[in-house]
Amino acid sequence: GESVGLHLPTLSVQEGDNSIINCAYSNSASDYFIWYKQESGKGPQFIIDIRSNMDKRQGQRVTVLLNKTVKHLSLQIAATQPGDSAVYFCAEPHNQGGKLIFGQGTELSVKP
Amino acid sequence: KAGVTQTPRYLIKTRGQQVTLSCSPISGHRSVSWYQQTPGQGLQFLFEYFSETQRNKGNFPGRFSGRQFSNSRSEMNVSTLELGDSALYLCASSLAGGRTSGANVLTFGAGSRLTVL
Protein backbone atom coordinates (compact mmCIF):
# COMPACT_ATOMS: atom_id res chain seq x y z
CA GLY A 1 0.00 0.00 0.00
CA GLU A 2 0.92 3.63 0.01
CA SER A 3 3.24 4.95 2.62
CA VAL A 4 5.36 7.98 3.27
CA GLY A 5 8.15 8.01 5.76
CA LEU A 6 10.59 10.48 7.15
CA HIS A 7 14.26 9.74 7.55
CA LEU A 8 14.91 11.36 10.91
CA PRO A 9 12.52 11.83 13.83
CA THR A 10 14.42 14.82 15.20
CA LEU A 11 16.58 17.57 13.75
CA SER A 12 18.39 20.27 15.67
CA VAL A 13 19.78 23.32 13.88
CA GLN A 14 21.30 26.63 14.83
CA GLU A 15 19.24 29.74 14.30
CA GLY A 16 20.09 31.22 10.92
CA ASP A 17 21.20 27.93 9.40
CA ASN A 18 19.30 26.13 6.67
CA SER A 19 17.23 23.08 7.57
CA ILE A 20 16.55 20.09 5.37
CA ILE A 21 13.81 17.62 6.25
CA ASN A 22 13.54 14.48 4.18
CA CYS A 23 10.72 12.19 3.24
CA ALA A 24 10.49 9.01 1.17
CA TYR A 25 7.43 7.54 -0.46
CA SER A 26 6.70 4.11 -1.82
CA ASN A 27 4.15 4.53 -4.60
CA SER A 28 5.73 5.50 -7.90
CA ALA A 29 2.30 6.64 -9.10
CA SER A 30 2.06 9.28 -6.37
CA ASP A 31 1.43 12.61 -8.02
CA TYR A 32 0.93 15.16 -5.26
CA PHE A 33 2.60 15.85 -1.95
CA ILE A 34 2.00 18.28 0.89
CA TRP A 35 4.15 19.48 3.74
CA TYR A 36 2.46 20.38 7.02
CA LYS A 37 3.91 22.08 10.09
CA GLN A 38 2.52 21.30 13.52
CA GLU A 39 3.44 23.54 16.41
CA SER A 40 2.90 22.49 19.98
CA GLY A 41 -0.76 22.64 20.92
CA LYS A 42 -1.91 23.28 17.37
CA GLY A 43 -3.16 21.29 14.43
CA PRO A 44 -1.11 20.71 11.29
CA GLN A 45 -0.74 23.83 9.16
CA PHE A 46 -0.28 23.69 5.39
CA ILE A 47 3.16 24.92 4.29
CA ILE A 48 3.62 24.04 0.65
CA ASP A 49 2.64 21.43 -1.89
CA ILE A 50 4.12 20.04 -5.07
CA ARG A 51 2.81 18.05 -8.00
CA SER A 52 4.77 15.29 -9.63
CA ASN A 53 5.18 17.28 -12.86
CA MET A 54 7.50 19.60 -10.93
CA ASP A 55 10.95 18.98 -9.43
CA LYS A 56 11.03 22.06 -7.26
CA ARG A 57 8.66 24.56 -5.78
CA GLN A 58 9.52 27.60 -3.73
CA GLY A 59 7.58 29.47 -1.11
CA GLN A 60 8.54 32.05 1.42
CA ARG A 61 11.80 30.75 2.91
CA VAL A 62 10.78 27.19 2.05
CA THR A 63 11.60 25.03 -0.94
CA VAL A 64 10.35 21.56 -1.67
CA LEU A 65 12.37 19.28 -3.93
CA LEU A 66 10.94 16.16 -5.51
CA ASN A 67 13.08 13.36 -6.89
CA LYS A 68 10.78 10.89 -8.57
CA THR A 69 13.62 8.61 -9.58
CA VAL A 70 14.37 7.66 -5.98
CA LYS A 71 10.90 8.54 -4.64
CA HIS A 72 12.18 11.17 -2.29
CA LEU A 73 11.15 14.67 -1.37
CA SER A 74 12.68 17.23 0.92
CA LEU A 75 11.64 20.43 2.60
CA GLN A 76 14.31 23.08 2.86
CA ILE A 77 13.88 25.98 5.25
CA ALA A 78 16.23 28.90 4.70
CA ALA A 79 17.59 30.96 7.59
CA THR A 80 15.79 28.87 10.20
CA GLN A 81 14.17 30.89 12.97
CA PRO A 82 12.97 29.91 16.46
CA GLY A 83 9.40 30.16 15.16
CA ASP A 84 10.17 27.30 12.79
CA SER A 85 10.44 24.91 15.74
CA ALA A 86 7.69 22.36 15.15
CA VAL A 87 6.99 18.88 13.86
CA TYR A 88 7.00 18.67 10.07
CA PHE A 89 5.00 16.09 8.18
CA CYS A 90 5.02 15.10 4.56
CA ALA A 91 1.72 13.74 3.31
CA GLU A 92 0.13 12.47 0.16
CA PRO A 93 -3.54 12.09 -0.64
CA HIS A 94 -5.21 8.75 -0.80
CA ASN A 95 -7.80 8.20 -3.46
CA GLN A 96 -10.38 8.24 -0.70
CA GLY A 97 -11.60 11.80 -0.34
CA GLY A 98 -10.42 13.57 2.78
CA LYS A 99 -7.77 10.99 3.50
CA LEU A 100 -4.12 11.93 3.69
CA ILE A 101 -1.31 9.47 4.30
CA PHE A 102 1.06 11.14 6.73
CA GLY A 103 4.67 10.37 7.48
CA GLN A 104 5.71 10.00 11.11
CA GLY A 105 7.03 13.53 11.33
CA THR A 106 10.36 15.22 12.03
CA GLU A 107 10.67 17.41 15.09
CA LEU A 108 12.75 20.47 14.26
CA SER A 109 14.42 22.27 17.15
CA VAL A 110 16.07 25.61 16.55
CA LYS A 111 18.88 26.60 18.92
CA PRO A 112 19.35 30.33 19.52
CA LYS B 1 -12.06 34.32 7.82
CA ALA B 2 -12.36 32.04 10.81
CA GLY B 3 -10.48 28.75 10.72
CA VAL B 4 -11.63 25.30 11.73
CA THR B 5 -12.97 25.38 15.27
CA GLN B 6 -12.98 22.35 17.51
CA THR B 7 -14.60 21.99 20.91
CA PRO B 8 -13.83 21.09 23.57
CA ARG B 9 -10.07 21.57 23.42
CA TYR B 10 -9.37 19.29 26.37
CA LEU B 11 -11.40 16.66 28.13
CA ILE B 12 -10.89 13.80 30.53
CA LYS B 13 -13.09 10.73 30.58
CA THR B 14 -13.00 7.34 32.25
CA ARG B 15 -13.08 3.94 30.62
CA GLY B 16 -16.51 2.90 29.46
CA GLN B 17 -17.82 6.42 29.03
CA GLN B 18 -18.64 7.99 25.72
CA VAL B 19 -17.54 11.32 24.28
CA THR B 20 -18.77 13.70 21.59
CA LEU B 21 -16.43 16.12 19.87
CA SER B 22 -17.56 19.02 17.73
CA CYS B 23 -16.08 20.66 14.63
CA SER B 24 -17.09 23.81 12.78
CA PRO B 25 -15.44 23.95 9.36
CA ILE B 26 -14.26 27.02 7.51
CA SER B 27 -17.23 28.90 6.08
CA GLY B 28 -18.01 27.53 2.65
CA HIS B 29 -16.19 24.25 3.19
CA ARG B 30 -18.48 21.30 2.72
CA SER B 31 -16.17 18.41 3.51
CA VAL B 32 -15.09 17.51 7.03
CA SER B 33 -12.56 14.82 7.86
CA TRP B 34 -11.49 13.49 11.22
CA TYR B 35 -8.08 12.19 12.26
CA GLN B 36 -6.67 10.60 15.39
CA GLN B 37 -3.13 11.55 16.38
CA THR B 38 -1.11 9.51 18.87
CA PRO B 39 2.63 9.35 19.53
CA GLY B 40 2.76 5.72 18.50
CA GLN B 41 0.54 5.66 15.41
CA GLY B 42 0.87 9.23 14.19
CA LEU B 43 -1.96 10.77 12.22
CA GLN B 44 -4.61 8.28 11.17
CA PHE B 45 -7.72 8.93 9.12
CA LEU B 46 -11.02 8.22 10.82
CA PHE B 47 -13.69 9.29 8.34
CA GLU B 48 -14.86 11.97 5.94
CA TYR B 49 -18.26 13.61 5.68
CA PHE B 50 -19.64 15.52 2.75
CA SER B 51 -23.18 16.82 2.37
CA GLU B 52 -24.23 15.09 5.60
CA THR B 53 -23.07 11.70 4.31
CA GLN B 54 -20.12 9.64 5.41
CA ARG B 55 -18.22 9.08 2.20
CA ASN B 56 -15.05 7.42 3.44
CA LYS B 57 -13.98 5.55 6.53
CA GLY B 58 -10.64 4.49 7.98
CA ASN B 59 -9.78 1.34 9.86
CA PHE B 60 -11.31 2.09 13.22
CA PRO B 61 -13.85 0.04 15.17
CA GLY B 62 -17.53 0.82 15.12
CA ARG B 63 -17.21 2.59 18.47
CA PHE B 64 -16.04 5.55 16.44
CA SER B 65 -18.84 7.30 14.62
CA GLY B 66 -19.70 10.71 13.34
CA ARG B 67 -22.22 12.82 11.60
CA GLN B 68 -22.48 16.04 9.67
CA PHE B 69 -25.24 18.60 9.83
CA SER B 70 -26.79 20.65 7.07
CA ASN B 71 -24.56 23.61 7.96
CA SER B 72 -21.50 21.36 7.45
CA ARG B 73 -20.70 21.28 11.16
CA SER B 74 -19.65 17.83 12.26
CA GLU B 75 -19.51 15.77 15.40
CA MET B 76 -17.69 12.58 16.17
CA ASN B 77 -18.57 10.18 18.94
CA VAL B 78 -16.54 7.51 20.65
CA SER B 79 -18.49 5.06 22.76
CA THR B 80 -17.24 2.67 25.44
CA LEU B 81 -13.97 4.50 25.79
CA GLU B 82 -10.75 2.54 26.18
CA LEU B 83 -7.40 3.73 27.51
CA GLY B 84 -6.00 3.49 23.98
CA ASP B 85 -8.47 6.08 22.77
CA SER B 86 -6.44 8.77 24.50
CA ALA B 87 -5.31 10.96 21.64
CA LEU B 88 -5.55 14.29 19.90
CA TYR B 89 -8.58 14.25 17.62
CA LEU B 90 -8.21 16.56 14.68
CA CYS B 91 -10.87 17.84 12.38
CA ALA B 92 -10.03 19.15 8.92
CA SER B 93 -12.21 20.82 6.35
CA SER B 94 -11.92 21.34 2.62
CA LEU B 95 -14.00 22.99 -0.05
CA ALA B 96 -15.35 19.82 -1.60
CA GLY B 97 -15.18 16.12 -1.14
CA GLY B 98 -12.88 14.07 -3.24
CA ARG B 99 -9.16 13.64 -3.38
CA THR B 100 -7.17 16.31 -1.63
CA SER B 101 -5.32 18.48 -4.09
CA GLY B 102 -4.61 22.11 -4.80
CA ALA B 103 -7.51 24.30 -3.80
CA ASN B 104 -9.10 21.35 -2.07
CA VAL B 105 -6.31 21.07 0.49
CA LEU B 106 -7.23 20.11 4.05
CA THR B 107 -7.19 22.82 6.72
CA PHE B 108 -6.92 21.48 10.25
CA GLY B 109 -8.32 22.69 13.52
CA ALA B 110 -6.32 22.79 16.76
CA GLY B 111 -7.76 19.49 17.91
CA SER B 112 -9.52 18.08 20.93
CA ARG B 113 -7.21 16.32 23.35
CA LEU B 114 -8.94 13.38 24.97
CA THR B 115 -7.51 11.65 28.00
CA VAL B 116 -9.10 8.38 29.09
CA LEU B 117 -8.40 7.29 32.66
Side-chain angles (χ1 to χ4, degrees):
Chain A
E2 300 160 325
S3 69
V4 287
L6 288 172
H7 293 182
L8 291 174
T10 61
L11 176 65
S12 183
V13 300
Q14 203 72 36
E15 181 179 356
D17 287 352
N18 296 333
S19 303
I20 299 176
I21 300 170
N22 296 303
C23 187
Y25 60 96
S26 61
N27 186 358
S28 56
S30 297
D31 61 358
Y32 179 70
F33 302 91
I34 309 167
W35 282 96
Y36 280 93
K37 169 187 180 183
Q38 186 174 23
E39 297 175 89
S40 180
K42 297 183 180 180
Q45 176 187 6
F46 173 90
I47 303 173
I48 191 168
D49 58 0
I50 188 168
R51 299 189 183 279
S52 61
N53 61 354
M54 304 172 71
D55 297 325
K56 178 180 179 179
R57 189 166 190 217
Q58 288 184 291
Q60 187 176 14
R61 282 201 306 117
V62 295
T63 300
V64 57
L65 299 178
L66 177 62
N67 185 330
K68 295 178 286 293
T69 302
V70 295
K71 291 184 283 189
H72 178 273
L73 66 158
S74 65
L75 177 71
Q76 300 180 0
I77 304 173
T80 311
Q81 303 169 358
D84 295 326
S85 293
V87 179
Y88 290 81
F89 296 93
C90 60
E92 63 170 311
H94 190 274
N95 284 332
Q96 280 186 298
K99 182 176 180 179
L100 288 172
I101 309 296
F102 282 89
Q104 287 300 306
T106 290
E107 183 173 9
L108 174 65
S109 298
V110 181
K111 296 177 288 186
Chain B
K1 58 182 177 183
V4 178
T5 304
Q6 292 188 246
T7 58
R9 288 295 312 279
Y10 303 91
L11 66 167
I12 300 174
K13 294 285 187 178
T14 56
R15 280 180 297 174
Q17 287 187 311
Q18 66 92 26
V19 66
T20 299
L21 308 177
S22 180
C23 172
S24 292
I26 290 173
S27 178
H29 283 195
R30 297 173 61 194
S31 173
V32 173
S33 301
W34 289 89
Y35 286 77
Q36 182 196 64
Q37 186 175 26
T38 60
Q41 299 299 316
L43 282 143
Q44 293 191 296
F45 174 76
L46 281 157
F47 28 64
E48 182 214 17
Y49 285 87
F50 181 78
S51 293
E52 302 178 63
T53 302
Q54 184 183 93
R55 287 166 49 115
N56 296 297
K57 190 176 190 300
N59 297 323
F60 280 82
R63 299 186 297 108
F64 292 81
S65 63
R67 59 179 176 169
Q68 186 181 34
F69 303 94
S70 58
N71 61 358
S72 294
R73 191 177 69 85
S74 177
E75 290 180 345
M76 69 162 283
N77 183 276
V78 188
S79 63
T80 320
L81 285 166
E82 301 176 0
L83 295 178
D85 296 333
S86 295
L88 180 67
Y89 290 89
L90 292 159
C91 168
S93 72
S94 62
L95 279 169
R99 193 169 181 266
T100 298
S101 180
N104 203 32
V105 71
L106 292 183
T107 301
F108 286 84
S112 293
R113 183 164 295 282
L114 170 64
T115 302
V116 182
L117 303 176

